[in-house]
Amino acid sequence: MLKASSRGIGLGLIGLVLSAQHYTLLPRKRSAVEAVPPWRQYTQDNSPPAKQFVFFDEAAAEYVVYFPEPLKTGDPGGGRMLSFRFRPQFIVDPHISVNVTRESDVYTYDYIVANGQSAREAIRLFDIVVPPAETPIRTSHGTWYASKLNGAGRPVAPQAALVGNGDLRKPEKMGRFVAWTCVDSAQPIKPGEKLDGFRVLSRALPGITTAYAATGRALRTPFEIPPEVMDQIVPLLLVENNYKTSVTIGPKFDVGTHSIPDIARDYQVSLSHLIGDGWASNSAYTQEMSRVLQSVAKSGQRGSIQFQSTPTSQLEKEIGAAIQIALGVSAGR
């Protein structure tokens, strides 16, 4: 039997070329899930498309794997069809809020994770992406297990909320996971519930980053899967296609290595992408943020940042607050 975790899967088999479909359940925009054909109750008399072995049953929120037995046995005389179902991990509805505070040269990032009523399952994994060189002073939670990052590490975490598909797996665009896992003794975040206490202490200034939430239920196959079938399953288990993507603020900029223009330009690029992808609106508030960032990038100087417009969402409010912390006069050393 195969137990597959999306974190450790490589890229050699990625690239489904299937007919485009759109579902209300998606891990993010333009994910490989959109290309998976819907399940049509196929049988031997109602055959699926040739060489297509993975389908999505939206009503059940499950993948259906359906393939001829000879692919597994090598016996051309076998006539049965084999099948099994499994649920993706993105069938949650995360709503993340963050509060960033500073004491001396240490920043505290406190997260609250809510799971919307539309979720099909509870949240048992919550991740944020940090730069490969970021080593938080401490990550913690009262009941969930918090990962610990020691020293600079290999980039393994895609910034799925901030870059397009073509850049997702470029090492220079990736980071590492700060992860919280619901252990057996803790309570998951059920649909309609929320949980606080997710905390990171870091010397890094805040920036816009990707967050992920997931059910924490890894794929376990009932039998050995033929390579032709695994070729279609594996891309769906990559974290950017298997976990639900969201946007938040996290530790991102080392004050010793990132200049003021660098930080401002990163905010500019990230904010533009969020507006283009619909995470944020092209509101008076985001337009004002863009003007402030352009001014700071040009001057290379921190200043007193006060926004006159009103944010139209919690995310916009948190981005504005992060900009004030990262580029305001109080962030200077």
Side-chain angles (χ1 to χ4, degrees):
M1 294 186 185
L2 170 72
K3 179 180 178 182
S5 168
S6 62
R7 293 189 193 278
I9 292 174
L11 286 176
L13 300 176
I14 195 166
L16 294 178
V17 183
L18 310 174
S19 58
Q21 297 291 333
H22 297 275
Y23 302 102
T24 57
L25 294 169
L26 284 174
R28 59 184 176 88
K29 290 185 177 180
R30 295 179 297 279
S31 76
V33 178
E34 294 185 64
V36 179
W39 175 243
R40 302 295 191 192
Q41 306 300 325
Y42 294 112
T43 64
Q44 288 182 312
D45 295 327
N46 174 31
S47 300
K51 297 184 179 180
Q52 181 57 48
F53 311 121
V54 180
F55 307 87
F56 193 71
D57 184 342
E58 186 175 6
E62 293 175 333
Y63 290 115
V64 182
V65 181
Y66 187 76
F67 62 92
E69 185 178 26
L71 285 181
K72 179 176 182 294
T73 63
D75 179 8
R80 291 195 309 161
M81 298 295 288
L82 301 180
S83 69
F84 69 93
R85 290 171 173 257
F86 70 96
R87 279 192 150 187
Q89 295 202 50
F90 59 73
I91 54 173
V92 295
D93 184 23
H95 299 268
I96 300 163
S97 60
V98 59
N99 183 52
V100 185
T101 56
R102 175 189 175 188
E103 184 174 345
S104 185
D105 64 344
V106 175
Y107 297 88
T108 300
Y109 299 79
D110 284 311
Y111 299 91
I112 300 173
V113 181
N115 197 10
Q117 294 282 2
S118 65
R120 301 291 187 96
E121 282 200 24
I123 294 173
R124 296 176 183 84
L125 291 176
F126 170 52
D127 300 347
I128 62 170
V129 179
V130 300
E134 163 62 11
T135 303
I137 299 169
R138 184 167 69 250
T139 59
S140 62
H141 190 270
T143 57
W144 286 35
Y145 172 78
S147 66
K148 299 172 178 62
L149 300 181
N150 298 314
R154 188 168 60 91
V156 295
Q159 281 282 13
L162 302 183
V163 300
N165 282 343
D167 291 330
L168 267 179
R169 289 281 166 169
K170 290 181 179 179
E172 66 273 18
K173 300 288 187 180
M174 299 173 72
R176 292 196 291 168
F177 293 106
V178 170
W180 290 268
T181 306
C182 181
V183 296
D184 291 342
S185 59
Q187 291 295 318
I189 309 170
K190 297 177 181 178
E193 296 182 352
K194 64 181 178 180
L195 185 64
D196 61 9
F198 300 94
R199 172 170 287 187
V200 179
L201 268 63
S202 173
R203 291 187 173 84
L205 293 167
I208 303 171
T209 193
T210 299
Y212 295 99
T215 67
R217 299 189 184 279
L219 167 63
R220 291 175 173 83
T221 61
F223 40 71
E224 184 178 355
I225 305 300
E228 300 94 325
V229 180
M230 281 305 301
D231 284 357
Q232 295 183 14
I233 294 176
V234 166
L236 303 174
L237 302 180
L238 294 166
V239 65
E240 62 267 28
N241 298 324
N242 197 26
Y243 289 7
K244 190 73 170 184
T245 301
S246 190
V247 182
T248 192
I249 301 297
K252 194 170 187 180
F253 307 111
D254 185 295
V255 294
T257 58
H258 289 89
S259 69
I260 295 169
D262 287 341
I263 297 172
R265 283 192 288 267
D266 186 274
Y267 269 106
Q268 283 180 296
V269 172
S270 297
L271 183 59
S272 177
H273 186 88
L274 295 185
I275 293 171
D277 252 13
W279 293 105
S281 64
N282 188 24
S283 64
Y285 189 74
T286 56
Q287 292 175 25
E288 185 178 1
M289 282 194 288
S290 296
R291 291 193 296 269
V292 167
L293 292 169
Q294 184 176 9
S295 176
V296 173
K298 183 177 180 179
S299 70
Q301 301 294 320
R302 302 185 186 279
S304 177
I305 299 175
Q306 300 294 329
F307 298 108
Q308 303 303 312
S309 305
T310 301
T312 61
S313 69
Q314 179 66 23
L315 177 60
E316 290 180 13
K317 179 180 179 181
E318 291 173 358
I319 293 173
I323 289 172
Q324 291 173 316
I325 294 172
L327 295 170
V329 290
S330 63
R333 295 290 190 268

